[in-house]
Amino acid sequence: MRHDDPRLPTSPGFWRSPLRGTWFTSVLGLVLLVGITVLFVTGLVSYAAYNPNLAPVNDQTPDKGILGFYLFSWPTNPYWLYRLTQGLHVTLGVTLIPVLLAKLWSVVPKLFTLPPARSLAHALERISLLLLVGGGLFEFTTGVLNVQLDYVFPGSFYPLHFYGAWVFFAAFVAHAALKTPTALRAVRQRRRDEAELAAPRPDPPTVSRRGALWFVGGASLLLLVTTAGQSIGGALRRTALLAPHGGADPGSGPDGFQINKTAAYAGIDARTTGGEAWRLVVTGRDGRTVRLSRTELLRLPLHSAALPIACVEGWSTSDQWWRGVRLRDLAALVGYDGDPPDVLVESLQLHGAFRRAALRANQVADPRSLLALQVNGEDLSPDHGYPARVIVPAAPGVLNTKWVARMTFGDL
């Protein structure tokens, strides 16, 4: 059977949709040009928020090499910074899915053109398109699975998504450099029927190209409405039907707000957190160490801060009122009376990537950074980190360690 047989996808006659054309593809491509650029920047911002070059325990991609460049330490102001950037990253990523799929559909005939390579330059272009399409599908798929807490992919999400993003974005930049001038010209001139993308023998249209764009936009709007509430919070959280923490009811009362890991999941029970069993071990300058019970912590000067919790999956809580001991005051107990240093925080949790986490000196020094003992006027519940947890402004949720057992202050 010949490759130009209209029954085969390698034949232009196989593709009959009247919607395909340069104008339609260009509009979708320009939307993705802006959207994917924002996704890449907010993704790098999210990774920087983990301070991966601070300590090995924070670094989920230890072999990143020159890809791991960071220009600043993650700040604590504004306190809602990570809630904004990661909420934008996840919500925009979900919202762009219909645009991405429509764009791929609009150019799918070109993926089947023969011969596969007419020259070396053409072969390189086809390879870049393979990386672009494959990388895009990989990034969006793993991102959605991570949002849904469905880790069916092999390995850790962090390095997979990180390296995949660099491969995809490199191909994306090359493609954008070649195609953006053409796309802008096509949109301005409303060129809709070039033979390069249009079907040579199209079927009768049942919807206009503008109508198809409205359909794609409506699908994106629907995903926006059913996702954004997870990071906005309040009454809108109930609209986040596609978000893992948007529809779940966390209960009522002072501890009635979202969590990721329960105490049972982390292997925490009363035998390790009870008054007689639990002591916070704080180590500092020259090995100076103090051990504090929860009662002794409650006798120290206590401070309050209104802070949210924001997680990499894009969900966040509204501001909660936390009360506890300032991290910089704990540093002073072990010899750091002036500017406090970095701190390594260790949890009672026995397994998991973030049972230990490091915080930078600027995070320790912030007066709103607390070893929290209470929230919203009541003692922490076991699921929220009883007997004590860290809460730091603008830090990703996993760095706000729960069930704290040990804190080691010093240069990390």
Side-chain angles (χ1 to χ4, degrees):
M1 189 177 291
R2 299 180 310 169
H3 68 76
D4 59 349
D5 189 311
R7 292 172 295 176
L8 295 178
T10 54
S11 170
F14 180 85
W15 308 99
R16 305 292 298 275
S17 173
L19 296 179
R20 291 189 177 93
T22 302
W23 179 82
F24 183 75
T25 298
S26 296
V27 172
L28 296 171
L30 291 175
V31 173
L32 289 174
L33 175 64
V34 176
I36 289 176
T37 300
V38 174
L39 285 181
F40 184 72
V41 172
T42 53
L44 285 184
V45 164
S46 175
Y47 197 75
Y50 284 72
N51 289 314
N53 59 338
L54 170 63
V57 297
N58 284 26
D59 192 358
Q60 299 298 303
T61 55
D63 299 320
K64 58 187 178 295
I66 61 172
L67 300 181
F69 63 91
Y70 300 99
L71 304 178
F72 57 90
S73 298
W74 188 248
T76 57
N77 285 306
Y79 71 90
W80 38 260
L81 179 61
Y82 191 73
R83 184 182 187 189
L84 172 66
T85 59
Q86 192 60 13
L88 175 62
H89 181 78
V90 171
T91 302
L92 179 61
V94 174
T95 301
L96 285 177
I97 288 175
V99 184
L100 176 69
L101 295 179
K103 175 67 161 59
L104 293 178
W105 172 86
S106 73
V107 298
V108 70
K110 298 192 68 175
L111 299 179
F112 291 91
T113 56
L114 295 176
R118 297 187 297 269
S119 64
L120 178 59
H122 186 241
L124 292 175
E125 180 185 358
R126 296 299 294 270
I127 291 172
S128 70
L129 287 176
L130 179 63
L131 294 175
L132 179 68
V133 174
L137 292 175
F138 177 83
E139 285 297 288
F140 277 82
T141 300
T142 56
V144 169
L145 289 173
N146 183 64
V147 168
Q148 299 299 328
L149 305 178
D150 190 3
Y151 305 114
V152 297
F153 41 80
S156 170
F157 167 77
Y158 298 94
L160 288 174
H161 205 66
F162 179 81
Y163 292 123
W166 278 107
V167 171
F168 167 60
F169 196 71
F172 176 78
V173 169
H175 184 73
L178 291 172
K179 298 297 184 180
T180 297
T182 302
L184 290 172
R185 188 166 54 250
V187 171
R188 284 197 302 266
Q189 299 176 0
R190 299 182 182 276
R191 292 157 62 189
R192 307 187 183 188
D193 57 352
E194 274 113 329
E196 181 183 10
L197 291 174
R201 295 188 299 276
D203 289 330
T206 56
V207 64
S208 68
R209 285 172 176 158
R210 287 186 180 276
L213 287 177
W214 278 110
F215 177 79
V216 173
S220 290
L221 179 61
L222 178 63
L223 290 179
L224 173 66
V225 170
T226 54
T227 303
Q230 68 169 344
S231 56
I232 297 173
L236 290 177
R237 189 177 299 281
R238 296 185 179 276
T239 68
L241 304 177
L242 300 181
H245 297 270
D249 185 2
S252 59
D255 290 283
F257 56 95
Q258 283 70 22
I259 60 169
N260 227 355
K261 297 176 182 176
T262 65
Y265 174 87
I268 307 297
D269 57 38
R271 290 174 297 178
T272 55
T273 61
E276 295 301 320
W278 183 83
R279 293 292 185 275
L280 174 68
V281 180
V282 185
T283 302
R285 194 186 300 275
D286 300 324
R288 187 183 307 181
T289 299
V290 298
R291 290 174 172 81
L292 300 166
S293 67
R294 199 169 189 278
T295 300
E296 290 169 326
L297 284 168
L298 287 167
R299 290 176 184 155
L300 296 175
L302 301 180
H303 300 269
S304 297
L307 299 172
I309 295 174
C311 281
V312 70
E313 297 91 0
W315 68 269
S316 59
T317 72
S318 55
D319 292 354
Q320 310 296 322
W321 275 100
W322 306 91
R323 188 163 177 81
V325 182
R326 288 175 173 169
L327 297 187
R328 68 186 191 185
D329 292 343
L330 291 171
L333 289 178
V334 289
Y336 293 101
D337 296 321
D339 292 335
D342 308 329
V343 64
L344 174 65
V345 184
E346 300 177 74
S347 174
L348 291 171
Q349 183 179 338
L350 298 179
H351 55 83
F354 289 98
R355 62 187 181 87
R356 301 191 302 160
L359 298 171
R360 288 195 182 276
N362 69 302
Q363 294 173 310
V364 176
D366 193 292
R368 297 164 296 180
S369 296
L370 304 174
L371 180 71
L373 306 170
Q374 300 171 335
V375 64
N376 299 325
E378 298 288 343
D379 288 345
L380 295 169
S381 69
D383 287 343
H384 282 297
Y386 181 90
R389 68 167 298 160
V390 166
I391 187 74
V392 173
V398 290
L399 300 186
N400 293 315
T401 307
K402 297 194 286 189
W403 313 294
V404 176
R406 177 183 292 272
M407 305 180 74
T408 304
F409 291 92
D411 294 331
L412 301 178

